[in-house]
Amino acid sequence: MSEDRVDITQLPTDELLELMHDDLYDGYADEVVAQVNELLSRGLGPLEIMNKGLVAAMDIVGIDFRDGILFVPEVLMAAKAMKAGMAVLRPLLVETGAPKVGTMVIGTVKGDIHDIGKNLVAMMMEGAGFEIVDLGINTSADEFIAAIREHNADILGMSALLTTTMPYMKVVIQALKDEGLRDDVIVLVGGAPLNEAFAEDIEADAYCKDAAVAVETAKKLMALRQKQ
């Protein structure tokens, strides 16, 4: 691990950020936390550390995951290191009123208890600067709608791993329409049995085949929405 070899207090800031990228990529949570604290002690703002350190590193993780260089266990390790760094920064970001990219409500739909894919998406989205409201597994339409209202969410992410639970996504989208919320929320869906045709059929905004695609799609659709 890097800090056995390197005295981080002696590193120039740009090299320390590079080291953070490497250590986050390798899933070294304790090192990332130490580097975040060192950068704070140098007077860097929490938003700058998040963007230039944690988010920049998770972007590299996302690209390598998409390209098949990294696999789920390694991405989960990297995301864990990112979360450890974010735990230090989050209260400081709240104090400074730092802008969020957006808020996402995410959950595995009713009847389904699979959550590895959902957890990965939640972690990668958080790594990209989104605020995440994770409703867990077996989530009903009412729970999704209550969370969207409470947190004024920009994005709803739904996951299903069973062909028997996939149709419930359409129930949730219909509930959004009934509540007059459909136009206010970007709906992203994912899970092994899904495809683009299914997403189109249930009138979701996009199907995301994995966490890296979910982040890219969310950023793209948020940017389009902000231009309107």
Side-chain angles (χ1 to χ4, degrees), residues 82-105:
M82 181 274 302
K83 284 191 87 141
M86 279 301 293
V88 179
L89 293 177
R90 193 173 290 109
L92 303 172
L93 289 163
V94 171
E95 277 173 33
T96 55
K100 299 189 303 281
V101 181
T103 301
M104 179 187 205
V105 166

Side-chain angles (χ1 to χ4, degrees), residues 36-216:
V36 167
N37 284 317
E38 173 62 23
L39 289 166
L40 287 168
S41 77
R42 295 183 187 191
L44 264 73
L47 188 62
E48 190 178 3
I49 297 169
M50 182 182 89
N51 287 333
K52 289 186 178 173
L54 303 178
V55 173
M58 279 304 284
D59 282 346
I60 302 162
V61 171
I63 290 163
D64 283 1
F65 178 54
R66 183 193 66 202
D67 294 345
I69 296 163
L70 286 180
F71 299 97
V72 168
E74 293 143 316
V75 176
L76 286 171
M77 288 290 289
K80 202 171 166 187
M82 181 274 302
K83 284 191 87 141
M86 279 301 293
V88 179
L89 293 177
R90 193 173 290 109
L92 303 172
L93 289 163
V94 171
E95 277 173 33
T96 55
K100 299 189 303 281
V101 181
T103 301
M104 179 187 205
V105 166
I106 190 168
T108 304
V109 297
K110 192 174 176 184
D112 207 316
I113 57 166
H114 296 90
D115 68 354
I116 290 175
K118 171 194 66 68
N119 293 348
L120 198 53
V121 170
M123 286 175 173
M124 296 274 286
M125 290 289 286
E126 189 175 12
F130 286 86
E131 185 178 318
I132 300 300
V133 180
D134 189 345
L135 301 179
I137 55 173
N138 196 25
T139 311
S140 69
D142 288 346
E143 289 170 310
F144 279 124
I145 281 164
I148 288 165
R149 282 220 164 98
E150 182 186 341
H151 299 279
N152 196 20
D154 303 290
I155 301 175
L156 168 62
M158 290 189 282
S159 170
L161 208 77
L162 303 172
T163 51
T164 50
T165 55
M166 280 165 57
Y168 193 76
M169 290 179 171
K170 190 167 187 173
V171 173
V172 176
I173 290 172
Q174 186 57 51
L176 286 174
K177 289 180 182 174
D178 294 345
E179 296 289 326
L181 292 171
R182 179 64 190 92
D183 293 340
D184 302 333
V185 184
I186 295 164
V187 179
L188 305 180
V189 296
L194 278 68
N195 56 35
E196 282 177 17
F198 174 77
E200 214 170 288
D201 185 50
I202 63 168
E203 296 177 54
D205 290 294
Y207 156 72
C208 304
K209 72 179 176 65
D210 61 36
V213 172
V215 170
E216 282 172 24

Side-chain angles (χ1 to χ4, degrees), residues 2 6 8 11 15-23 35:
S2 60
V6 179
I8 61 170
L11 280 180
E15 286 181 30
L16 183 53
L17 283 164
E18 267 178 48
L19 183 64
M20 183 187 282
H21 295 171
D22 292 343
D23 282 349
Q35 290 151 7

